[in-house]
């Protein structure tokens, strides 16, 4: 079976409460990006409990969560749906399951690693390079934003880059 | 002391595994034993007659029966020896069936050795038994019922009709409770007040019931049979003997209007008012918080009933039993901020819609949008508001809200067939006679059922927008309604805290009063003579509250009809010479049976005999009459005289759960090692540290303390005290060089014989790894010698 140990792993990462889900949908209907999702967060939890690993990890919804935590605040069972999303992201990353939006996260983290912050210009450029079909709309929006002075061409860098590097090193050593 | 020992074959149940003949020969050698016999079936008439004739001819002082569990036949043999002239407490049983022959079927030799120990232990205890007298005390046959809702009314009427005098105390100016405010009630849709009002009138008319409304309890002292109750009747500023209940004369003269709490804020009432037209008693009441003292009502009253100088009146009662029917309170819907109650006028609660639907309510039965007064065209019911919700600390189901919303939705749909009526639900719980059919009727009427919990309600320009996921479609949606009804849950009544504290009632984690057993004793409190009925012990529908009122009444009757009660003598008593008045026992007693004036005193009518106090007493001043330190220490010494096995374990098992669990392991033939000798105590909390130390000192390799699962103690908190004591003891063992792992605890229910058996197995293995007791001491010494 493709989901051997999958349920248990997500539970270990995101909490025992997941087993008590009553599928009420409070999480999905509280979710600000639910209308963009293929599987609602409620359904993701069901897929996890059913051990349907392939379906769960293939879901684009994982990458649409904005971590606003409204689901987690409102869940009547004390489940942390946001933690489920994070767990699924981690498993995707480990197993090299690629998706367009996951690649966005990688570009995002690369920027943090090298400059300690995100520059809109560099981020858009790096993302467009990896996803050529997204390049044209990004460029169009970029020109619009630049013309209104909403983005700066100076990428900038944070103070204390050695601290940032240390955080990354410690994380990778774990 | 002359003791007779009777070893039962139980057909082959015992004799197939144990060498009964050898057990008999062994018993004959024990001190104080004058006769030992083996009998085919000891519980048969022939078997019992043998015991009786021996008592007479051999002048026996005490009897030991080695047979099945005392939980099965102790009452039988107590009767037997009583019939032969002995005191019923001069009996001790050795459990050689459930806890020996049935669980060690593959090891007859070791099982026989264990049975010998069990018999020796029983004889050792029997040698120290004393006759105990059962005392009867006269009781008051009057009953106090606290709370005049439908449960309290039901209890009061049943008691009064059986001939007992009842004092019915109600906080509000009228009896009737929440039921009096509802519109029609499910599943029959008959008018609530129409079925309740005759009962309320009956209470008023019954000469055996003294009705005390607008009254509160201030103090309760004493115990079962004699509770001394003090209360106060608040002044209504209206003379009940003069008031004719016409109410319009005075209230229309009154210039003050305040929100009507009996309409849950929807309507208004005057400062002089009557809660409902059917109030019992039919007497007006002045709300002093609202009254401006203008005197217009007094002028208007044609009967001169308004009395501004009325005083609060204290009353004192002496009652034999108390029925607590203090009811519930509605969940405060404004706590669920995302639903907008209190901010949006068109968001209402179940109780408000009940009042709107009520022909005598603030809208005379019209369902309107409070913001505009227009008749509604669309209504949403949102279920589970304040129920099944850990974010507000109420994980439980309130049990009645599904049915209440089904009913209210039907009433609205019947009045306004074109209205869009939807119920947003997680699960529909319609379990009850006629309830599923009621659900079916609602579906047929065209009510929409939308599965998915609503996440939020927003107010727009043209109405309320409800956000939810239709979980059956898998779509997140938003829908507009004129009116939103929050199906608010039931909470424990915080106004009942005073009564709960005065009586020492315990509460469940859901804050409702706890009953003595969650299944088998549904209306009994942990305190003798106190009964709980209706929603005071959790959310209930009207039908169940009425049944519980009757059940509580019947329990009170059983208790009081004879006019006297027998006190169980197997309780604690204090040696006043030893007591130092430290109050440790007061804090451990779950029954509040101990008080201290210089020295401790046990109220024997309250004590339930758990023995936790005896174990806690630092100077051994408290003793149990049937499980004394002396008797238990004698059992420990008898068990360890011959250490016939390694590892050797002494077990202290509580009577209600773990000892019963061990019996169940026997009846289920679950096999476990023979290494344990079990001593029965009433509660794990009885286990005195000295028992553990004595067992280890005498060579036991391990000690097991087993009790009810945490949270399920028969005496509420005995096992918690046991656990605390074990923690301290383990520290002590470590200090004196004994491995603390030699003291093990196990918590199991009476139904968990398999778990207990597994714990014993595990413990045997752990002790094998540790080696015999004392090896750790030897290892600690450089010379290698103890």
């Amino acid at each position: 079976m493709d989901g051997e140990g999958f349920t248990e792993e997500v539970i270990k990462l995101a909490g025992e409460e997941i087993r008590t889900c009553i599928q009420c949908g409070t999480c999905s209907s509280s979710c600000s990006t639910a209308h963009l999702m293929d599987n609602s967060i409620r359904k993701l939890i069901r897929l996890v409990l059913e051990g349907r690993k392939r379906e769960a990890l293939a879901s684009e919804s994982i990458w649409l969560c904005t971590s606003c935590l409204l689901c987690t605040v409102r869940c009547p069972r004390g489940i942390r749906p946001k933690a489920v999303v994070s767990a699924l992201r981690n498993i995707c990353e480990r197993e090299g399951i690629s998706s367009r939006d996951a690649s966005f996260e990688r570009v995002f983290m690369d920027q943090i690693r090298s400059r300690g912050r995100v520059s809109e210009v560099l981020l858009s450029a790096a993302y467009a390079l990896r996803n050529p079909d997204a390049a044209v709309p990004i460029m169009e929006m970029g020109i619009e934003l630049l013309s209104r002075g909403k983005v700066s061409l100076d990428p900038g860098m944070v103070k204390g880059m050695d601290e940032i590097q240390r955080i990354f090193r410690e994380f990778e050593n774990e | 002391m002359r003791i007779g020992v009777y070893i039962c074959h139980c057909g082959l149940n015992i004799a197939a595994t144990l060498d009964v003949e050898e057990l008999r020969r062994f018993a004959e050698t024990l001190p104080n034993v004058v006769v030992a016999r083996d009998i085919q079936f000891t519980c048969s008439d022939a078997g019992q007659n043998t015991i009786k004739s021996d008592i007479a001819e051999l002048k026996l002082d005490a009897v030991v029966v080695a047979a099945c569990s005392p939980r099965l036949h102790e009452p039988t043999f107590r009767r037997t020896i009583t019939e032969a002239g002995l005191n019923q407490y001069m009996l001790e049983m050795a459990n050689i069936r459930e806890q020996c022959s049935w669980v060690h079927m593959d090891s007859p030799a070791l099982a026989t050795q264990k049975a010998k120990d069990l018999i020796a232990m029983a004889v050792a205890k029997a040698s120290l038994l004393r006759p105990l007298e059962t005392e009867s005390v006269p009781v008051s046959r009057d009953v106090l019922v606290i709370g005049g809702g439908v449960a309290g009314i039901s209890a009061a009427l049943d008691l009064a009709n059986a001939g007992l005098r009842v004092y019915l105390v109600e906080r509000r100016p009228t009896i009737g409770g929440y039921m009096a405010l509802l519109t029609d009630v499910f599943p029959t849709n008959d008018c609530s007040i129409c079925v309740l009002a005759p009962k309320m009138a009956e209470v008023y008319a019954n000469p055996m019931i003294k009705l005390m409304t607008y009254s509160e309890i201030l103090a309760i002292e004493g115990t079962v049979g004699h509770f001394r109750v003090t209360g106060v009747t608040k002044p209504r500023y209206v003379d009940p003997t003069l008031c004719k209940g016409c109410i319009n004369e005075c209230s229309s003269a009154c210039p003050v209007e305040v929100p009507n709490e009996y309409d849950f804020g929807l309507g208004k009432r005057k400062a002089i008012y009557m809660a409902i037209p059917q109030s019992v008693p039919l007497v007006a009441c002045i709300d002093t918080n609202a009254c401006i003292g203008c005197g217009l009502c007094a002028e208007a009253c044609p009967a001169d009933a308004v009395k501004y100088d009325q005083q609060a009146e204290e009353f004192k009662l002496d009652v034999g039993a108390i029925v607590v029917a203090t009811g519930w309170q509605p969940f405060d819907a404004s706590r669920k901020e995302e639903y907008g109650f209190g901010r949006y006028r068109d968001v209402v609660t179940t109780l408000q819609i009940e009042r709107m639907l009520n022909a005598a309510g603030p809208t005379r039965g019209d369902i309107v949008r409070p913001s505009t007064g227009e008749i509604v065209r669309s209504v949403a019911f949102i279920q589970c508001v304040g129920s099944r919700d850990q974010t507000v600390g109420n994980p439980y189901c309130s049990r009645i809200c599904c049915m209440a919303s089904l009913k209210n939705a039907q009433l609205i749909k019947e009045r306004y067939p074109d209205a869009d009526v939807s119920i947003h639900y997680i699960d529909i719980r319609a379990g009850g006679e006629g309830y599923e059919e009621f659900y079916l009727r609602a579906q047929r009427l065209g009510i929409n059922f939308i599965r998915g919990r609503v996440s939020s309600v927003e107010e727009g320009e043209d109405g309320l927008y409800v956000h939810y996921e239709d979980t059956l479609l898998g779509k997140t949606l938003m829908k507009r309604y004129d009116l939103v009804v929050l199906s608010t849950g039931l909470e424990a009544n915080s106004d009942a805290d005073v009564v709960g504290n005065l009586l020492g009632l315990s509460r469940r984690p859901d804050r409702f009063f706890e009953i003595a057993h969650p299944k088998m004793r549904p209306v009994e409190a942990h305190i003798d003579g106190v009964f709980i009925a209706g929603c005071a012990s959790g959310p209930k529908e009207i039908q169940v509250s009425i049944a519980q009122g009757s059940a509580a009444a019947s329990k009170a009757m059983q208790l009081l009809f004879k006019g006297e009660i027998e006190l169980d003598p197997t309780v604690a008593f204090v040696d006043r010479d030893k007591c130092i008045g430290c109050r440790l026992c007061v804090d451990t007693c779950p029954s509040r049976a101990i008080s201290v004036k210089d020295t401790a005193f046990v109220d024997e009518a309250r004590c339930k005999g758990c023995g936790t106090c005896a174990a806690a007493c630092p100077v051994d001043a408290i003793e149990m009459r049937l499980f004394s330190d002396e008797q238990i220490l004698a059992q420990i010494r008898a068990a360890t005289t011959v250490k016939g096995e390694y590892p050797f374990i002494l077990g202290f098992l509580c009577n209600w759960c773990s000892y019963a669990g061990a019996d169940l392991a026997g009846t289920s033939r679950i096999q476990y090692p023979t290494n344990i000798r079990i001593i029965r105590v009433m509660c794990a909390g009885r286990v005195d540290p000295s028992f553990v130390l004595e067992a280890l000192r005498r060579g036991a390799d391990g000690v097991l303390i087993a009790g009810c699962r945490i949270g399920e103690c028969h005496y509420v908190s005995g096992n918690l005290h046991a656990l605390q004591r074990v923690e301290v003891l383990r520290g002590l063992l470590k200090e004196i060089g004994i491995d603390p792992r030699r003291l093990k605890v196990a918590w199991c229910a009476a139904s968990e014989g398999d778990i207990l058996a597994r714990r014993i197995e595990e413990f045997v293995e752990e002790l094998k790894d540790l080696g015999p007791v004392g090896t750790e001491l030897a290892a600690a010494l450089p010379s290698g010698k103890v």
Side-chain angles (χ1 to χ4, degrees):
Chain A
M1 196 191 142
D2 77 318
E4 199 66 52
F6 172 61
T7 310
E8 284 66 32
E9 184 178 6
V10 177
I11 283 170
K12 210 175 137 205
L13 291 168
E16 198 55 44
E17 298 80 17
I18 298 169
R19 289 193 200 279
T20 67
C21 177
I22 47 174
Q23 292 286 300
C24 67
T26 304
C27 49
S28 340
S29 67
S30 300
C31 177
S32 57
T33 48
H35 59 289
L36 302 170
M37 291 183 173
D38 48 358
N39 288 319
S40 70
I41 175 69
R42 169 192 61 79
K43 196 171 167 197
L44 272 182
I45 292 177
R46 189 72 208 137
L47 291 172
V48 165
L49 287 172
E50 282 290 295
R52 292 173 170 267
K53 183 175 180 179
R54 214 152 15 96
E55 281 172 76
L57 296 186
S59 181
E60 285 292 318
S61 313
I62 302 172
W63 308 103
L64 291 169
C65 170
T66 62
S67 306
C68 74
L69 291 175
L70 210 47
C71 54
T72 301
V73 170
R74 285 183 179 164
C75 175
R77 291 296 217 204
I79 299 169
R80 294 172 296 138
K82 161 67 184 67
V84 175
V85 168
S86 301
L88 295 177
R89 285 181 182 177
N90 285 349
I91 297 171
C92 276
E93 192 64 22
R94 186 188 68 211
E95 308 209 345
I97 297 172
S98 124
S99 113
R100 195 177 65 168
D101 296 285
S103 75
F104 174 83
E105 302 240 328
R106 282 188 205 105
V107 170
F108 188 95
M109 289 316 289
D110 285 347
Q111 292 250 320
I112 302 283
R113 186 197 291 265
S114 56
R115 320 195 70 83
R117 55 160 291 178
V118 169
S119 140
E120 288 87 351
V121 175
L122 288 183
L123 182 73
S124 315
Y127 183 67
L129 278 176
R130 290 206 188 192
N131 300 278
D133 53 334
V136 174
I138 285 178
M139 224 148 39
E140 281 170 5
M141 185 166 66
I143 291 164
E144 178 91 24
L145 289 170
L146 269 173
S147 69
R148 295 187 185 201
K150 294 283 183 192
V151 292
S152 157
L153 283 171
D154 173 18
M157 190 179 278
V158 297
K159 287 178 197 160
M161 267 314 289
D162 46 337
E163 282 292 292
I164 300 279
Q165 300 294 343
R166 194 178 56 77
I167 291 170
F168 273 91
R169 268 200 311 279
E170 271 185 27
F171 174 76
E172 274 153 11
N173 286 340
E174 259 182 21
Chain B
M1 181 69 84
R2 298 170 63 80
I3 298 173
V5 180
Y6 301 89
I7 298 151
C8 188
H9 290 234
C10 196
L12 284 175
N13 282 307
I14 291 170
T17 305
L18 307 182
D19 185 340
V20 176
E21 174 65 24
E22 196 185 326
L23 293 179
R24 185 183 56 76
R25 278 200 302 269
F26 169 77
E28 280 172 347
T29 67
L30 292 168
N32 297 329
V33 173
V34 293
V35 61
R37 298 185 198 279
D38 58 291
I39 298 177
Q40 266 295 323
F41 289 102
T42 317
C43 60
S44 69
D45 284 351
Q48 293 189 52
N49 285 335
T50 308
I51 298 175
K52 284 190 213 167
S53 59
D54 278 359
I55 292 172
E57 286 165 22
L58 301 171
K59 310 225 173 323
L60 299 181
D61 302 308
V63 167
V64 169
V65 178
C68 52
S69 169
R71 292 177 54 87
L72 185 65
H73 269 316
E74 194 174 63
T76 313
F77 294 118
R78 277 187 176 167
R79 249 192 330 267
T80 311
I81 67 168
T82 311
E83 282 163 17
L86 277 188
N87 180 280
Q88 60 162 325
Y89 294 102
M90 298 307 286
L91 169 81
E92 182 62 19
M93 288 186 75
N95 187 339
I96 60 168
R97 190 179 75 169
E98 281 84 345
Q99 296 182 7
C100 194
S101 70
W102 276 351
V103 287
H104 310 309
M105 294 165 102
D106 304 328
S107 332
L110 286 172
T112 302
Q113 177 56 45
K114 173 173 169 178
K116 281 184 187 171
D117 288 351
L118 295 177
I119 293 169
M121 289 155 72
V123 169
K125 181 170 178 184
S127 305
L128 297 167
L129 289 173
R130 301 276 176 275
L132 302 177
E133 293 314 320
T134 307
E135 203 188 330
S136 288
V137 292
V139 294
S140 160
R141 291 179 60 187
D142 300 350
V143 181
L144 167 67
V145 177
I146 307 174
V150 67
I153 288 174
S154 161
L157 285 174
D158 282 11
L159 286 161
N161 289 335
L164 297 182
R165 173 166 299 282
V166 179
Y167 300 97
L168 177 56
V169 173
E170 165 60 47
R171 285 180 68 245
R172 297 196 176 224
T174 178
I175 56 169
Y178 282 106
M179 185 181 171
L181 306 175
L182 305 180
T183 172
D184 303 350
V185 284
F186 61 79
T188 45
N189 282 4
D190 43 1
C191 154
S192 186
I193 192 68
C194 310
V195 289
L196 182 64
K199 294 280 170 197
M200 292 161 64
E202 229 181 286
V203 166
Y204 190 70
N206 195 310
M208 291 305 282
I209 299 177
K210 171 107 169 83
L211 178 59
M212 299 146 102
T213 50
Y214 216 40
S215 301
E216 284 174 22
I217 304 292
L218 299 177
I220 302 175
E221 286 169 339
T223 52
V224 56
H226 287 288
F227 291 103
R228 292 181 303 281
V229 181
T230 311
V232 65
T233 299
K234 295 173 280 185
R236 296 168 175 263
Y237 304 104
V238 176
D239 185 337
T241 59
L242 296 177
C243 178
K244 304 284 179 275
C246 51
I247 199 68
N248 264 342
E249 316 288 332
C250 55
S251 70
S252 53
C254 177
V256 187
E257 268 196 345
V258 289
N260 186 354
E261 66 269 38
Y262 296 92
D263 285 336
F264 307 100
L266 281 183
K268 301 250 188 273
R269 66 161 170 80
K270 295 298 182 67
I272 184 164
Y273 69 106
M274 214 152 62
I276 47 170
Q278 300 83 353
S279 287
V280 169
L282 201 65
V283 177
C285 181
I286 294 178
D287 174 355
T288 47
N289 290 327
C291 177
I292 52 169
C294 65
L296 289 174
C297 55
E299 270 171 42
C301 178
D304 285 334
V306 177
K307 303 287 177 205
Y308 296 122
D309 56 354
Q310 208 176 51
Q311 298 292 317
E313 275 177 45
E314 206 174 86
F315 58 84
K316 286 193 186 299
L317 312 169
D318 179 16
V319 296
I322 298 176
V323 176
V324 175
T326 45
W328 56 284
Q329 69 185 27
F331 172 76
D332 173 8
S334 64
R335 288 175 60 202
K336 291 293 291 177
E337 285 179 21
E338 58 267 41
Y339 293 157
F341 179 77
R343 267 182 297 140
Y344 307 147
R345 288 188 66 195
D346 297 340
V347 176
V348 298
T349 65
T350 298
L351 285 168
Q352 289 180 322
I353 203 79
E354 291 282 349
R355 294 308 292 163
M356 271 204 225
L357 282 161
N358 198 314
T363 59
R364 304 277 160 214
D366 288 340
I367 303 302
V368 299
R369 296 177 67 182
S371 62
T372 61
E374 290 165 26
I375 299 287
V376 298
R377 287 183 307 271
S378 58
V379 183
F381 287 85
I382 298 181
Q383 295 306 109
C384 299
V385 178
S387 309
R388 304 182 72 190
D389 189 348
Q390 296 186 357
T391 67
V392 295
N394 294 348
Y396 56 88
C397 166
S398 288
R399 209 168 129 165
I400 61 163
C401 332
C402 281
M403 289 300 288
S405 289
L406 283 173
K407 183 257 301 176
N408 290 332
Q410 284 185 26
L411 296 178
I412 294 173
K413 195 73 181 169
E414 279 165 0
R415 283 179 209 183
Y416 312 105
D418 296 332
D420 167 15
V421 181
S422 301
I423 298 181
H424 293 263
Y425 70 99
I426 312 175
D427 300 292
I428 293 290
R429 294 186 169 168
E433 294 91 21
Y435 287 12
E436 184 65 22
E437 295 88 326
F438 195 74
Y439 180 16
L440 199 64
R441 181 170 186 272
Q443 289 177 307
R444 290 212 169 108
L445 271 174
I447 291 158
N448 301 321
F449 286 85
I450 302 173
R451 206 235 166 237
R453 189 166 169 275
V454 169
S455 66
S456 60
V457 178
E458 271 179 284
E459 193 172 57
E461 274 177 20
D462 58 341
L464 296 163
Y465 289 86
V466 166
H467 296 266
Y468 59 97
E469 181 188 7
D470 185 322
T471 60
L472 301 180
L473 292 177
K475 284 197 173 129
T476 48
L477 299 167
M478 181 177 80
K479 196 174 163 191
R480 197 205 75 84
Y481 293 99
D482 287 340
L483 185 74
V484 166
V485 183
L486 304 180
S487 201
T488 37
L490 279 61
E491 285 190 337
N493 189 356
S494 53
D495 289 337
D497 285 351
V498 176
V499 168
N501 292 339
L502 289 174
L503 284 169
L505 300 179
S506 47
R507 289 179 182 275
R508 288 193 304 257
D510 64 11
R511 305 182 300 282
F512 287 95
F513 290 132
E514 188 168 47
I515 47 178
H517 186 280
K519 185 169 284 294
M520 305 306 287
R521 297 165 74 190
V523 296
E524 289 160 73
H526 289 286
I527 310 293
D528 281 346
V530 179
F531 306 96
I532 308 175
C535 292
S537 61
K540 284 171 195 75
E541 52 265 64
I542 291 165
Q543 188 199 25
V544 178
S545 290
I546 292 172
Q548 287 212 333
S550 288
S554 134
K555 285 282 170 195
M557 287 176 218
Q558 279 175 42
L559 179 72
L560 303 180
F561 251 124
K562 277 191 286 183
E564 57 176 34
I565 50 172
E566 285 189 349
L567 300 182
D568 185 347
T570 64
V571 293
F573 68 98
V574 178
D575 182 338
R576 299 204 150 197
D577 295 335
K578 284 192 193 166
C579 177
I580 52 170
C582 71
R583 304 183 65 90
L584 264 178
C585 51
V586 178
D587 298 336
T588 52
C589 178
S591 312
R592 294 197 181 182
I594 311 181
S595 50
V596 172
K597 263 184 204 158
D598 300 330
T599 57
F601 169 76
V602 177
D603 183 338
E604 296 193 8
R606 248 178 194 254
C607 174
K608 304 229 170 168
C610 67
T612 305
C613 56
C617 179
V619 292
D620 283 338
I622 305 187
E623 198 49 278
M624 304 306 296
R625 289 220 169 85
L626 198 57
F627 292 87
S628 70
D629 283 3
E630 196 191 16
Q631 289 165 355
I632 293 173
L633 287 168
Q635 284 175 290
I636 295 168
R637 285 174 197 135
T640 47
T641 302
V642 183
K643 199 178 143 187
E645 259 188 280
Y646 166 76
F648 191 85
I649 302 170
L650 260 181
F652 297 93
L653 270 59
C654 93
N655 180 60
W656 306 102
C657 290
S658 51
Y659 193 90
D663 281 354
L664 180 69
T667 32
S668 321
R669 310 296 196 276
I670 296 167
Q671 305 295 300
Y672 57 83
T674 53
N675 309 55
I676 187 167
R677 308 291 180 264
I678 291 172
I679 293 175
R680 175 186 175 216
V681 285
M682 290 315 277
C683 177
R686 171 67 186 100
V687 181
D688 196 297
S690 66
F691 301 167
V692 177
L693 296 174
E694 179 70 358
L696 294 171
R697 197 181 68 79
R698 300 262 312 174
D701 302 304
V703 174
L704 175 74
I705 298 176
C708 306
R709 290 191 298 210
I710 296 297
E712 295 178 10
C713 177
H714 190 81
Y715 303 102
V716 186
S717 56
N719 52 6
L720 292 176
H721 291 297
L723 186 60
Q724 230 173 19
R725 229 167 269 146
V726 163
E727 300 294 338
V728 176
L729 256 172
R730 282 191 178 136
L732 180 72
L733 290 178
K734 210 171 167 188
E735 245 169 64
I736 60 176
I738 304 270
D739 196 307
R741 284 173 292 178
R742 294 193 186 278
L743 176 57
K744 188 180 174 76
V745 289
W747 312 117
C748 79
S751 58
E752 294 177 334
D754 51 334
I755 290 182
L756 190 75
R758 221 177 308 139
R759 294 286 169 274
I760 294 171
E761 242 169 53
E762 288 163 9
F763 197 23
V764 169
E765 291 309 311
E766 287 160 22
L767 289 171
K768 277 183 188 162
D769 289 345
L770 287 180
V773 67
T775 37
E776 56 267 61
L777 291 171
L781 293 173
S783 61
K785 284 181 189 166
V786 182

